[in-house]
Amino acid sequence: MAPSAAIDRTRASVARVYDCFLGGKDNYDVDREVFEQVNRAAPQMSRLARDHREWLVRVTRFLTRSAGIDQFLDCGAGLPTAENTHQVAQRMNPEARVVYVDNDPVVAAHGRALLEENDQSHLVMADLTEPDQVLEHPVVTKFLDFDRPLALIQCSTIHHVPDAQRPREIMERYIERLPAGSYLALTHFYDPQDGGDASELARFVEGIFSNSSMGSGFFRTRSEIASFFGDLELVEPGITRLRDWWPDGPHLNPPTAVDEVLIGGVARKR
Ligand SMILES: C[S@@+](CC[C@H](N)C(=O)[O-])C[C@H]1O[C@@H](n2cnc3c(N)ncnc32)[C@H](O)[C@@H]1O
């Protein structure tokens, strides 16, 4: 969806509903209604949202410290939360640059306020389903150097792109334009389609999200999600449950259905 400057309080927005799951305050009744429908049936989905943010923190640490990446294009920034990409990256490397992309006017307002003091981090209002427009945006080309490796982050974004918009082709285009040595970090709602509890949960949540005024939240198969990485080389351990991607310590509890419905990975362009 193209960015709009006006806040629509009559329709739930992806960014604000996600903010509800994270326990944030930047949401309206219409967003909380969508959240409550899921939360009543599957209260653990809020934990999954927090696990998701922790995954992004671990990935950003890995990319900055181990992979030596110092420039990030974070598509679908979301509302500012406890640990944002630029804060994690700049803690490891104060010179790291982050350009966020979003199309939600509430994200624009809060994001600009958060980034005002930081000339290494910027927010662009653009439609992430238009890779050429994003990559040619003057702020992107000013602050990111496409002659050096960078990290493209697509966390919980592509599952808001319907099949009709050809998400695979969108990702192909991004990957094609990434400099050699760049990384892609991507997470996506997952339906194992095995008739088990996780699949039932995936179908239930997809039904609520896509029939609400928010209109999207598609749970795809593992091979569909793997296809979004194109021919990039997956970093170990590949595409996994978020909790299994280099956790900070041993798991104290076995995974539940909720842990199964969001998977992600990091991959490198040769
Ligand atoms: C579920 S949130 C994820 C936020 C963050 N990436 C994270 O993982 O915590 C998805 C974000 O993508 C943004 N978004 C969805 N579709 C978009 C589009 N077509 N163009 C730009 N941003 C979009 C939403 O506004 C929202 O902020």
Side-chain angles (χ1 to χ4, degrees), residues 1 14-15 18 52-53 76-78 102-104 126-129 155-156:
M1 199 180 57
V14 170
Y18 185 59
H52 185 245
R53 293 297 309 184
D102 213 289
N103 65 352
D104 188 300
D127 182 351
L128 65 84
T129 65
C155 278
S156 289

Side-chain angles (χ1 to χ4, degrees), residues 146-157:
F146 280 79
D147 291 330
R148 295 194 300 114
L150 57 90
L152 170 66
I153 300 181
Q154 290 282 5
C155 278
S156 289
T157 51

